[in-house]
Amino acid sequence: MQNADMKPNRLFSVALSAKSVNRLSAATFEFTYDPDYIEFRKVKTVNNGSKIQVNKKSGKVKVVFLNSEGQNISGGSEILSFTFKTLKTGTTYIDYTVEQCVNSDVNFIDVGSCTASCVRIYKNASGTVGGASISSNNNKNSTRSTTGKGGKSKHPTEPTTVNASDDKYIDYNPIKDKQIKFFLAGMGITAGCLAVLAVAYAIGKKSAQKKAEKEKNHNDKTIENKTSDD
């Protein structure tokens, strides 16, 4: 996530970026922050083809990310953008965990390193946002993963790990593995059905044209024979 240097009582936006050879189709993110220092306002997707489901409560935001085509993140792309408001001076962090990452082939992706966002709030702050740390997937066999290792962010001064969070909140509705696969499989089935219908329509149209031409030729021949008899 990007870092920010902000004055108190200011709105600011920080982005979450990711980098992988896989196209990202689904993931579950959980963000935590100190509500004494910053106030969550909104979150949005950066890619127009992506959809999100958001559950929030004070100090926590859970985001379920979906993109049926799979967002291309091979060059390191922004996935989500968060808007917060600074409340008082001090240094705070926006931490997060990521789980259930799925690529466009409906296979799990193991998550590599994750770095938290550092937000420094003071009167003479520059008002700048930057220093994004891009998460990378170092597992070459990640497309064959059957479970998908999650990731938990660490502060910039701490070593990163790939240990998924075990925290669960009963008022959240995290997306299930089967739901992700059913969603993506449903999109594929729908596209396949549309393709079949398109082919069937083209074949039917061609058959109808041939039948019409055959009937026309038959009628023309009948008229010719009748004229000859007369």
mmCIF file of all heavy atoms in Angstrom, residues 3 11-12 17-18 33-34 37 43 52 84 98 115 119 131 140 156 174 186 199 213 219:
data_model
loop_
_atom_site.group_PDB
_atom_site.id
_atom_site.type_symbol
_atom_site.label_atom_id
_atom_site.label_comp_id
_atom_site.label_asym_id
_atom_site.label_seq_id
_atom_site.Cartn_x
_atom_site.Cartn_y
_atom_site.Cartn_z
ATOM 1 N N ASN A 3 2.109 5.017 1.107
ATOM 2 C CA ASN A 3 2.254 5.758 2.355
ATOM 3 C C ASN A 3 1.748 7.184 2.150
ATOM 4 O O ASN A 3 1.563 7.637 1.018
ATOM 5 C CB ASN A 3 3.719 5.789 2.784
ATOM 6 C CG ASN A 3 4.275 4.394 3.004
ATOM 7 O OD1 ASN A 3 3.593 3.530 3.534
ATOM 8 N ND2 ASN A 3 5.513 4.179 2.592
ATOM 9 N N LEU A 11 -8.598 15.056 3.809
ATOM 10 C CA LEU A 11 -8.940 13.832 3.090
ATOM 11 C C LEU A 11 -7.733 13.403 2.262
ATOM 12 O O LEU A 11 -7.045 14.242 1.670
ATOM 13 C CB LEU A 11 -10.136 14.048 2.169
ATOM 14 C CG LEU A 11 -11.500 14.271 2.832
ATOM 15 C CD1 LEU A 11 -12.543 14.584 1.772
ATOM 16 C CD2 LEU A 11 -11.919 13.052 3.644
ATOM 17 N N PHE A 12 -7.477 12.109 2.195
ATOM 18 C CA PHE A 12 -6.389 11.609 1.362
ATOM 19 C C PHE A 12 -6.746 10.215 0.871
ATOM 20 O O PHE A 12 -7.557 9.511 1.473
ATOM 21 C CB PHE A 12 -5.072 11.583 2.138
ATOM 22 C CG PHE A 12 -5.020 10.546 3.227
ATOM 23 C CD1 PHE A 12 -4.384 9.321 3.034
ATOM 24 C CD2 PHE A 12 -5.606 10.793 4.469
ATOM 25 C CE1 PHE A 12 -4.348 8.364 4.032
ATOM 26 C CE2 PHE A 12 -5.556 9.837 5.480
ATOM 27 C CZ PHE A 12 -4.929 8.628 5.268
ATOM 28 N N SER A 17 -1.584 -1.862 -4.506
ATOM 29 C CA SER A 17 -1.100 -2.382 -5.788
ATOM 30 C C SER A 17 -0.681 -3.835 -5.648
ATOM 31 O O SER A 17 -0.379 -4.304 -4.546
ATOM 32 C CB SER A 17 0.095 -1.562 -6.281
ATOM 33 O OG SER A 17 -0.263 -0.212 -6.474
ATOM 34 N N ALA A 18 -0.674 -4.547 -6.766
ATOM 35 C CA ALA A 18 -0.246 -5.946 -6.767
ATOM 36 C C ALA A 18 0.508 -6.245 -8.056
ATOM 37 O O ALA A 18 0.307 -5.576 -9.070
ATOM 38 C CB ALA A 18 -1.447 -6.877 -6.628
ATOM 39 N N TYR A 33 -7.252 -0.401 10.799
ATOM 40 C CA TYR A 33 -6.631 0.909 11.023
ATOM 41 C C TYR A 33 -7.058 1.420 12.388
ATOM 42 O O TYR A 33 -8.004 0.895 13.005
ATOM 43 C CB TYR A 33 -7.052 1.889 9.918
ATOM 44 C CG TYR A 33 -8.530 2.134 9.856
ATOM 45 C CD1 TYR A 33 -9.119 3.208 10.534
ATOM 46 C CD2 TYR A 33 -9.374 1.280 9.146
ATOM 47 C CE1 TYR A 33 -10.499 3.419 10.502
ATOM 48 C CE2 TYR A 33 -10.751 1.479 9.109
ATOM 49 C CZ TYR A 33 -11.298 2.549 9.783
ATOM 50 O OH TYR A 33 -12.656 2.746 9.765
ATOM 51 N N ASP A 34 -6.373 2.459 12.871
ATOM 52 C CA ASP A 34 -6.694 3.044 14.174
ATOM 53 C C ASP A 34 -7.686 4.191 13.969
ATOM 54 O O ASP A 34 -7.315 5.243 13.436
ATOM 55 C CB ASP A 34 -5.407 3.565 14.834
ATOM 56 C CG ASP A 34 -5.633 3.956 16.292
ATOM 57 O OD1 ASP A 34 -6.791 4.265 16.646
ATOM 58 O OD2 ASP A 34 -4.657 3.965 17.058
ATOM 59 N N TYR A 37 -6.939 7.954 14.769
ATOM 60 C CA TYR A 37 -6.078 8.781 13.941
ATOM 61 C C TYR A 37 -6.667 9.058 12.554
ATOM 62 O O TYR A 37 -6.489 10.152 12.015
ATOM 63 C CB TYR A 37 -4.700 8.121 13.775
ATOM 64 C CG TYR A 37 -3.863 8.174 15.027
ATOM 65 C CD1 TYR A 37 -3.893 7.125 15.944
ATOM 66 C CD2 TYR A 37 -3.045 9.259 15.291
ATOM 67 C CE1 TYR A 37 -3.132 7.165 17.099
ATOM 68 C CE2 TYR A 37 -2.276 9.314 16.444
ATOM 69 C CZ TYR A 37 -2.329 8.266 17.357
ATOM 70 O OH TYR A 37 -1.583 8.318 18.495
ATOM 71 N N VAL A 43 -14.024 3.140 -0.451
ATOM 72 C CA VAL A 43 -13.071 2.341 -1.213
ATOM 73 C C VAL A 43 -13.677 2.082 -2.584
ATOM 74 O O VAL A 43 -14.892 1.913 -2.715
ATOM 75 C CB VAL A 43 -12.745 1.004 -0.493
ATOM 76 C CG1 VAL A 43 -14.002 0.192 -0.245
ATOM 77 C CG2 VAL A 43 -11.744 0.183 -1.311
ATOM 78 N N ILE A 52 -16.643 -4.969 -6.308
ATOM 79 C CA ILE A 52 -16.286 -5.243 -4.923
ATOM 80 C C ILE A 52 -17.528 -5.298 -4.044
ATOM 81 O O ILE A 52 -18.552 -4.692 -4.351
ATOM 82 C CB ILE A 52 -15.314 -4.193 -4.344
ATOM 83 C CG1 ILE A 52 -15.908 -2.770 -4.446
ATOM 84 C CG2 ILE A 52 -13.961 -4.277 -4.987
ATOM 85 C CD1 ILE A 52 -15.061 -1.707 -3.756
ATOM 86 N N PHE A 84 -9.453 8.209 3.157
ATOM 87 C CA PHE A 84 -9.545 8.388 4.603
ATOM 88 C C PHE A 84 -9.519 9.877 4.930
ATOM 89 O O PHE A 84 -9.161 10.712 4.089
ATOM 90 C CB PHE A 84 -8.361 7.718 5.317
ATOM 91 C CG PHE A 84 -8.373 6.220 5.296
ATOM 92 C CD1 PHE A 84 -7.776 5.518 4.256
ATOM 93 C CD2 PHE A 84 -8.963 5.497 6.327
ATOM 94 C CE1 PHE A 84 -7.762 4.134 4.240
ATOM 95 C CE2 PHE A 84 -8.962 4.107 6.317
ATOM 96 C CZ PHE A 84 -8.364 3.430 5.279
ATOM 97 N N VAL A 98 -4.697 -10.706 3.111
ATOM 98 C CA VAL A 98 -5.296 -11.086 1.833
ATOM 99 C C VAL A 98 -5.373 -12.601 1.788
ATOM 100 O O VAL A 98 -4.415 -13.297 2.125
ATOM 101 C CB VAL A 98 -4.495 -10.522 0.631
ATOM 102 C CG1 VAL A 98 -3.028 -10.903 0.726
ATOM 103 C CG2 VAL A 98 -5.081 -11.023 -0.687
ATOM 104 N N THR A 115 3.107 -5.252 2.335
ATOM 105 C CA THR A 115 3.590 -4.168 3.177
ATOM 106 C C THR A 115 2.469 -3.201 3.517
ATOM 107 O O THR A 115 1.719 -2.787 2.639
ATOM 108 C CB THR A 115 4.730 -3.400 2.480
ATOM 109 O OG1 THR A 115 5.745 -4.321 2.104
ATOM 110 C CG2 THR A 115 5.330 -2.358 3.398
ATOM 111 N N VAL A 119 1.009 6.085 7.676
ATOM 112 C CA VAL A 119 0.387 7.413 7.566
ATOM 113 C C VAL A 119 0.932 8.294 8.688
ATOM 114 O O VAL A 119 0.702 8.029 9.869
ATOM 115 C CB VAL A 119 -1.155 7.321 7.668
ATOM 116 C CG1 VAL A 119 -1.773 8.702 7.507
ATOM 117 C CG2 VAL A 119 -1.705 6.354 6.632
ATOM 118 N N GLY A 131 5.332 6.012 -2.358
ATOM 119 C CA GLY A 131 6.081 4.931 -1.735
ATOM 120 C C GLY A 131 5.330 3.622 -1.706
ATOM 121 O O GLY A 131 5.431 2.867 -0.751
ATOM 122 N N LYS A 140 6.663 -19.995 -8.401
ATOM 123 C CA LYS A 140 6.482 -20.262 -9.826
ATOM 124 C C LYS A 140 5.357 -21.250 -10.093
ATOM 125 O O LYS A 140 4.792 -21.271 -11.174
ATOM 126 C CB LYS A 140 7.790 -20.788 -10.422
ATOM 127 C CG LYS A 140 8.917 -19.754 -10.419
ATOM 128 C CD LYS A 140 10.174 -20.322 -11.044
ATOM 129 C CE LYS A 140 11.299 -19.308 -11.044
ATOM 130 N NZ LYS A 140 12.544 -19.852 -11.632
ATOM 131 N N PRO A 156 6.693 -1.191 7.248
ATOM 132 C CA PRO A 156 7.901 -1.102 6.411
ATOM 133 C C PRO A 156 9.194 -1.489 7.127
ATOM 134 O O PRO A 156 10.134 -1.935 6.503
ATOM 135 C CB PRO A 156 7.911 0.370 5.998
ATOM 136 C CG PRO A 156 6.473 0.776 6.034
ATOM 137 C CD PRO A 156 5.879 0.019 7.188
ATOM 138 N N PRO A 174 -17.550 -13.316 4.579
ATOM 139 C CA PRO A 174 -16.452 -13.574 3.650
ATOM 140 C C PRO A 174 -16.876 -14.535 2.554
ATOM 141 O O PRO A 174 -17.635 -15.463 2.791
ATOM 142 C CB PRO A 174 -15.365 -14.194 4.538
ATOM 143 C CG PRO A 174 -16.123 -14.786 5.685
ATOM 144 C CD PRO A 174 -17.292 -13.866 5.918
ATOM 145 N N GLY A 186 -19.714 -19.945 -13.548
ATOM 146 C CA GLY A 186 -20.991 -19.474 -14.101
ATOM 147 C C GLY A 186 -20.780 -18.491 -15.233
ATOM 148 O O GLY A 186 -21.482 -18.528 -16.249
ATOM 149 N N VAL A 199 -23.867 -19.614 -32.687
ATOM 150 C CA VAL A 199 -23.596 -20.575 -33.765
ATOM 151 C C VAL A 199 -24.898 -21.182 -34.269
ATOM 152 O O VAL A 199 -25.118 -21.310 -35.485
ATOM 153 C CB VAL A 199 -22.641 -21.683 -33.262
ATOM 154 C CG1 VAL A 199 -22.513 -22.793 -34.297
ATOM 155 C CG2 VAL A 199 -21.275 -21.108 -32.941
ATOM 156 N N GLU A 213 -34.455 -20.193 -50.906
ATOM 157 C CA GLU A 213 -33.960 -20.209 -52.282
ATOM 158 C C GLU A 213 -34.485 -21.429 -53.030
ATOM 159 O O GLU A 213 -34.851 -21.351 -54.208
ATOM 160 C CB GLU A 213 -32.430 -20.220 -52.278
ATOM 161 C CG GLU A 213 -31.810 -18.898 -51.819
ATOM 162 C CD GLU A 213 -30.306 -18.977 -51.762
ATOM 163 O OE1 GLU A 213 -29.755 -20.051 -52.105
ATOM 164 O OE2 GLU A 213 -29.673 -17.980 -51.374
ATOM 165 N N ASN A 219 -40.783 -22.699 -57.298
ATOM 166 C CA ASN A 219 -41.924 -21.903 -57.771
ATOM 167 C C ASN A 219 -41.662 -21.345 -59.168
ATOM 168 O O ASN A 219 -42.554 -21.323 -60.020
ATOM 169 C CB ASN A 219 -42.205 -20.759 -56.804
ATOM 170 C CG ASN A 219 -42.734 -21.266 -55.463
ATOM 171 O OD1 ASN A 219 -43.282 -22.362 -55.388
ATOM 172 N ND2 ASN A 219 -42.542 -20.476 -54.407
#
